[in-house]
């Protein structure tokens, strides 16, 4: 389906060709909690943005105690707001929204660094269509330092590159990624602010926008770089929150699933994207059960055989020949070849979108994405469902 969408329309989508005569004022909101190790580079990147209009940079400190607030408030060229009690990213963003002056609001994570021309490209989508409520940017990782980050680099190119560009072509974006996204302030004026009780506020606001007819566009010429987890434990913690948020929002917006009133978004995008997590978890559970069941059955046969109770495989004095259906083998082989060919095409296009030349150094992370990463994702989805349905509280 993604291949059909890509070849049908998505591959040639371009940013609007429009001349902006009056650039709208923009406010960048940077929520910060104990982010002294990244916040200063983030602020500097935001200051270096080449934007012809008015640009306000606002840091909302969410009760930091690492000394970063005291250093930030002395920096020139930015506004700094302080929340004495830490209450989470969504609450910090809402606090900033109440004080923002811009018509366009940019939400920027404190470990994210936008390219200099990011705003200029993305703003064209807002100016070309008054119903565009948000523009998502092309999220890349910072240069990877280890194998786990190398895998994530590939994942981001494919997910935020190829797949986002594909679903955006059918108005199907279901999340405005947290590292950096731009919103028309009118969205918050009409729909309300971020949901402070939601684990993935960036997904919830996107689904709310889709429900009320706001359009979300993807601008792949606007690139931002974000820090990603360096250890398997940190990656698991991040994805557990993402997937629990996905389950939470799937249940919250269940009425939109397979609902023709929401077009391709309801009929295709939601069932495939948010529903895929359920099937990933189901597959992992089934696989684990199959392995356990196979091990038990092997022991049942092995113990009597060792004791001499079983004289042959058939149990009746005759060996049962093991046969392989050649047609079944050929079908599986052909299906695997076709699937890998399609996947290879997706990867090729993702490299093109990221403007990266393929090379031998990407073979290892690509193999990990094909053979190892799906297992990790499936297990994390199982954990996410277990955590969510058990009612276990999540602490940021």
């Amino acid at each position: 389906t993604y291949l059909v969408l890509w070849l049908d329309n998505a591959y040639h989508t371009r940013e609007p060709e429009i001349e902006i005569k009056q650039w709208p004022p923009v406010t960048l909101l940077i929520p910060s909690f104990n982010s002294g190790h990244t916040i200063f580079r983030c602020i500097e990147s935001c200051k270096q943005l080449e934007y012809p209009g008015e640009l306000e940079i606002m840091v909302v400190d969410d009760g930091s105690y690492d000394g970063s607030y005291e250093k930030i408030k002395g920096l020139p060229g930015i506004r700094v707001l302080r929340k004495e009690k830490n209450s989470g990213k969504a609450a910090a963003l809402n606090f900033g929204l109440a004080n923002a002056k811009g018509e366009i609001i940019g939400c920027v994570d404190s470990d994210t660094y936008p390219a200099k021309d990011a705003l200029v490209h993305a703003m064209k989508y807002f100016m070309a269509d008054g119903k565009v409520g948000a523009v998502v940017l092309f999220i890349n990782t910072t240069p990877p330092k280890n194998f786990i980050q190398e895998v994530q680099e590939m994942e981001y190119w494919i997910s935020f590159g190829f797949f986002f560009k594909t679903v955006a072509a059918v108005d199907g974006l279901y999340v405005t990624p947290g590292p950096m996204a731009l919103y028309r302030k009118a969205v918050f004026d009409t729909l309300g602010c971020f949901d402070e009780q939601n684990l993935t506020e960036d997904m919830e606001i996107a689904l709310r926008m889709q429900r009320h007819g706001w359009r979300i566009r993807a601008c792949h010429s606007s690139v931002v770089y974000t820090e990603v987890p360096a250890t398997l434990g940190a990656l698991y913690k991040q994805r557990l929150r993402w997937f629990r948020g996905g389950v939470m929002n799937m249940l919250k917006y269940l009425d939109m699933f397979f609902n023709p009133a929401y077009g391709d978004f309801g009929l295709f995008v939601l069932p495939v994207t948010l529903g895929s997590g359920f099937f990933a978890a189901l597959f992992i559970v089934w696989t684990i059960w199959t392995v356990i069941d196979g091990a038990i059955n092997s022991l049942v046969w092995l113990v009597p055989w060792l004791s001499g109770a079983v004289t042959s495989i058939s149990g009746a004095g005759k060996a049962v020949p093991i046969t392989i259906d050649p047609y079944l083998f050929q079908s599986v082989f052909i299906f695997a070849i076709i699937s890998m060919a399609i996947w290879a095409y997706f990867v090729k296009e993702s490299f093109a979108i990221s403007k990266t030349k393929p090379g031998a150094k990407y073979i290892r992370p690509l193999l990990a994405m094909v053979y190892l990463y799906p297992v990790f994702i499936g297990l994390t989805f199982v954990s996410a469902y277990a955590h969510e349905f058990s009612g276990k509280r999540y602490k940021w």
Side-chain angles (χ1 to χ4, degrees), residues 272-348:
V272 169
T273 53
L274 293 186
S276 63
F278 172 77
F279 290 106
L282 194 64
F283 176 76
I284 288 296
V285 170
W286 175 82
T287 301
I288 293 173
W289 169 251
T290 302
V291 171
I292 294 174
D293 185 59
I296 293 174
N297 287 333
S298 297
L299 288 174
V300 169
W301 279 95
L302 183 61
V303 171
W305 182 78
L306 290 174
S307 63
V310 177
T311 58
S312 70
I313 296 177
S314 68
K318 291 183 178 180
V320 178
I322 299 175
T323 60
I324 298 176
D325 186 346
Y327 297 104
L328 176 61
F329 174 77
Q330 292 172 12
S331 299
V332 172
F333 181 74
I334 292 171
F335 178 77
I337 291 295
I338 293 173
S339 299
M340 289 304 297
I342 294 174
W343 173 251
Y345 180 75
F346 290 171
V347 171
K348 181 185 78 70

Side-chain angles (χ1 to χ4, degrees), residues 27-32 58-62 81 83 87-100 105-110 176-181 183 185 188 192-196 198 200-203 205 396:
T27 296
L28 298 182
L29 299 179
I30 309 173
S32 175
M58 181 190 300
V59 175
V60 182
D61 185 84
D62 192 24
L81 303 180
K83 292 175 88 279
S87 49
K89 177 184 174 181
L93 287 173
N94 290 340
F95 189 62
L97 278 170
N99 294 274
I105 305 296
C107 298
V108 188
D109 278 356
S110 59
T176 46
M180 184 171 179
Y183 303 86
K185 195 170 188 294
F188 302 108
C193 296
F194 290 104
D195 183 354
E196 297 180 14
N198 203 288
T200 48
E201 78 293 328
D202 52 352
M203 177 182 290
I205 192 64
W396 282 77

Side-chain angles (χ1 to χ4, degrees), residues 347-393:
V347 171
K348 181 185 78 70
E349 293 300 319
S350 300
F351 271 97
I353 293 171
S354 66
K355 298 179 180 177
T356 303
K357 185 178 180 181
K361 68 177 183 178
Y362 297 113
I363 294 177
R364 278 202 321 149
L366 275 173
L367 290 174
M369 282 205 68
V370 173
Y371 296 107
L372 300 178
Y373 198 59
V375 177
F376 170 77
I377 293 297
L379 289 171
T380 308
F381 263 117
V382 172
S383 180
Y385 275 97
H387 278 74
E388 188 63 21
F389 291 130
S390 67
K392 187 173 181 180
R393 295 187 62 184

Side-chain angles (χ1 to χ4, degrees), residues 33-42 66 68 110-111 113 227:
F33 175 65
N34 290 344
S35 56
H37 54 298
T38 59
I39 184 69
F40 299 101
R41 180 182 172 189
C42 174
D66 65 343
S68 57
S110 59
D111 59 356
Y113 323 112
E227 305 281 354

